[in-house]
Amino acid sequence: MERLISMCKQRGFIYPSSEIYGGLNSCWDYGPLGAELKRNIKEAWWYANVQLRDDVVGADTSILMHPDVWRASGHLANFTDPLVDCKECKRRYRADHLETDVCPECGGELTEARQFNLMFKTFLGPVEDDAAVVYLRPETAQGIFVDFKLIQNATRQRVPFGIAQIGKSFRNEVSPGNFIFRSREFEQMELEFFVSHDDDDEWFRCWVDYRWKWYLSLGINPNKLRQRPHGEDELAHYAKACIDVEYEFPFGWQEIEGIAHRGTYDLSQHIEHSGKDLSYFDDLTGQRYVPIVIESSAGVDRTLLTFLVDAFHEEEERTVLKLHPRLAPYKVAVFPLQKKPALKELALKIKDELKYEWNVTYDETGSIGRRYRRQDEIGTPYCITVDFDSLEDGAVTIRDRDTMAQDRVSLDKVSAYLRERLTWKPEID
Ligand code: GAP
């Protein structure tokens, strides 16, 4: 992890937020390469879950919502962690994370556990009184539930159908950590799929499979991925089932996504608290009912860490980030063999032609070997070198990041060569 974190900082993937002021605990900034990787993950998620499906539509709802939303969802009352303080050294811990009943740092006596709500509070408007209190959303899902009827009416989707959303969420975590794994500001990719009471179990299985295949189709090592069904004692009182997708990080097996059968809880709660009818009328059967929700909820940052950890390889001669090409920040790097004007001109021309289709980088500094190493470290799948022969034979050398094999490709075939290798058609149906 330490070497990965150091590479991330050096190469412009991720660094501590506000670093020149000493950083802000558990807040992270994504640099140029991190921003590309993050965008690619979100796009690959949207592509598989919205674009390729006829039964899912997208949304982008507000971070600040009416406080009654959180009353209805149960977050105001129950979205808490148990906290204890050490009476001696004043350190604070999550009671459920402690293995002993004395302070693990100084052995001091601990206070009784008290519940700490994880939602960030702020004020809407200039008056800082109780009536103006609002919360930063701790999950994106509620925006989907409260808009369920609007979206269903607007799109004329029929159950079964889903609504997908990607956006920031905030949780005042008691113990954030493990780099970007648990932070206080993060992004979620959530999909709420509304189903009838006849085929809910089938749809739950279906989404577990679909999401599982998404990770595999983007190259995650299957030996490091597992499904962990929740035990009865872990399930929320309204949930019928929940399966976590877990990855084996250097700090152990950890949840990256939860797929849950949430019953009718979410819509029923909003029906009760808002007084609005959010039920669904099936005009084929003539039945009106509150749909069941099957939820897939993944963290963008956690998924990004998963892909980084899985791709990070330290070989004898080089460090290589074997990211799936769909996710790699740059798809192609173009190099002139030397800084000679004729070579540079052709290399830049190739770059300018390819940039309309892919994110392409150009590098003319250092030996070719060094330039390959730089691209290997940031995961660029293909490097194109323009040499003196290129000026004669109209061909370039394309080198593969993983195999390091090189092909000589004529200029008019470069785009097709790359398209064949870079196009991602996930086999997840
Ligand atoms: N709507 C359901 C929901 O929010 P969750 O298990 O609390 O469920 C879903 O969160 C996902 O969001 C997690 O699997 C994780 O990937 C991500 N996540 C949750 N808390 C996080 C945090 N503090 N930092 C980064 N990611 C987090």
Side-chain angles (χ1 to χ4, degrees):
M1 277 307 286
E2 267 162 40
R3 290 197 298 277
L4 175 68
I5 293 170
S6 139
M7 184 284 284
C8 281
K9 185 169 179 190
Q10 255 174 15
R11 304 309 309 271
F13 280 92
I14 305 163
Y15 7 81
S17 161
S18 327
E19 205 195 23
I20 59 169
Y21 292 101
L24 182 65
N25 189 10
S26 94
C27 294
W28 301 94
D29 289 346
Y30 289 84
L33 297 181
E36 293 293 342
L37 176 56
K38 203 178 189 196
R39 203 168 57 83
N40 291 339
I41 288 171
K42 290 190 279 187
E43 282 177 9
W45 186 88
W46 195 270
Y47 179 72
N49 292 306
V50 184
Q51 188 173 329
L52 294 189
R53 299 188 64 111
D54 296 328
D55 56 0
V56 179
V57 293
D60 188 347
T61 71
S62 176
I63 287 175
L64 300 176
M65 300 179 77
H66 194 293
D68 283 351
V69 169
W70 310 113
R71 218 157 272 129
S73 67
H75 283 84
L76 267 175
N78 304 321
F79 197 56
T80 54
D81 276 341
L83 261 194
V84 290
D85 292 308
C86 172
K87 290 180 181 169
E88 305 298 322
C89 70
K90 309 293 179 210
R91 280 193 175 81
R92 184 163 283 183
Y93 303 99
R94 253 179 76 168
D96 55 332
H97 282 183
L98 287 179
E99 281 164 11
T100 54
D101 49 12
V102 290
C103 174
E105 283 298 324
C106 75
E109 197 188 333
L110 300 172
T111 60
E112 287 290 309
R114 63 198 162 78
Q115 294 302 324
F116 169 75
N117 195 295
L118 300 186
M119 283 198 293
F120 278 98
K121 262 188 207 172
T122 186
F123 300 95
L124 198 70
V127 184
E128 297 195 358
D129 64 10
D130 286 353
V133 168
V134 290
Y135 302 89
L136 302 189
R137 66 179 177 199
E139 61 172 21
T140 67
Q142 295 304 323
I144 296 178
F145 298 135
V146 301
D147 286 357
F148 165 71
K149 204 73 195 176
L150 283 171
I151 295 174
Q152 196 254 320
N153 285 340
T155 59
R156 288 179 292 119
Q157 284 282 346
R158 308 178 54 80
V159 169
F161 82 99
I163 305 174
Q165 156 153 258
I166 301 177
K168 288 256 175 167
S169 293
F170 301 83
R171 297 182 188 180
N172 202 0
E173 298 281 0
V174 177
S175 43
N178 283 327
F179 195 29
I180 56 171
F181 180 80
R182 180 172 287 107
S183 53
R184 296 192 169 114
E185 172 181 343
F186 55 97
E187 268 183 285
Q188 288 185 307
M189 307 181 280
E190 299 203 288
L191 191 146
E192 309 301 326
F193 200 77
F194 302 93
V195 301
S196 79
H197 295 236
D198 301 329
D199 50 7
D200 49 323
D201 292 335
E202 287 84 343
W203 274 112
F204 175 68
R205 250 339 304 167
C206 200
W207 276 106
V208 172
D209 283 354
Y210 194 75
R211 294 297 307 139
W212 177 257
K213 287 181 191 155
W214 184 81
Y215 293 100
L216 298 184
S217 75
L218 287 167
I220 291 286
N221 177 355
N223 299 324
K224 298 217 161 212
L225 208 60
R226 73 179 184 194
Q227 295 177 14
R228 192 184 68 80
H230 279 208
E232 284 291 325
D233 53 332
E234 278 178 281
L235 280 179
H237 65 89
Y238 49 79
K240 192 165 165 195
C242 183
I243 288 183
D244 284 346
V245 178
E246 294 190 337
Y247 181 78
E248 190 178 18
F249 289 97
F251 45 88
W253 285 97
Q254 299 286 343
E255 167 194 343
I256 54 175
E257 167 166 355
I259 298 132
H261 180 311
R262 299 178 59 91
T264 58
Y265 176 79
D266 307 286
L267 291 179
S268 299
Q269 286 295 106
H270 288 301
I271 291 170
E272 188 186 325
H273 285 255
S274 70
K276 299 287 186 315
D277 180 13
L278 303 180
S279 63
Y280 171 78
F281 180 69
D282 186 334
D283 48 18
L284 287 181
T285 61
Q287 283 181 327
R288 179 171 285 287
Y289 60 91
V290 177
I292 285 174
V293 166
I294 308 296
E295 173 182 80
S296 139
S297 176
V300 177
D301 313 78
R302 256 183 219 188
T303 306
L304 188 144
L305 185 60
T306 306
F307 284 118
L308 274 180
V309 166
D310 206 60
F312 189 66
H313 287 79
E314 289 178 309
E315 297 175 356
E316 221 163 83
E317 295 281 303
R318 61 176 190 159
T319 298
V320 55
L321 204 54
K322 294 187 177 173
L323 286 171
H324 188 282
R326 177 66 193 86
L327 303 180
Y330 295 120
K331 310 299 184 213
V332 187
V334 186
F335 313 145
L337 184 65
Q338 289 176 17
K339 286 188 196 167
K340 295 276 192 290
L343 298 185
K344 279 172 68 168
E345 194 184 320
L346 180 56
L348 286 168
K349 185 167 165 263
I350 294 170
K351 175 188 178 284
D352 281 341
E353 276 168 18
L354 299 179
K355 76 179 177 193
Y356 294 100
E357 211 162 338
W358 299 289
N359 203 6
V360 186
T361 184
Y362 171 86
D363 188 1
E364 58 176 36
T365 56
S367 70
I368 280 291
R370 293 243 335 242
R371 281 182 263 172
Y372 282 151
R373 298 291 170 268
R374 265 184 227 140
Q375 297 304 324
D376 288 345
E377 201 181 3
I378 63 171
T380 309
Y382 295 101
C383 293
I384 299 180
T385 303
V386 173
D387 54 28
F388 291 101
D389 288 343
S390 307
L391 304 175
E392 305 299 322
D393 65 2
V396 287
T397 300
I398 305 187
R399 180 248 197 199
D400 180 292
R401 175 196 69 198
D402 298 342
T403 62
M404 295 192 276
Q406 305 193 354
D407 280 335
R408 194 79 185 161
V409 180
S410 74
L411 283 171
D412 59 345
K413 301 237 163 50
V414 168
S415 287
Y417 179 97
L418 293 171
R419 208 171 295 127
E420 194 186 319
R421 288 159 177 78
L422 290 172
T423 305
W424 180 56
K425 280 201 187 139
E427 282 167 19
I428 49 183
D429 276 334

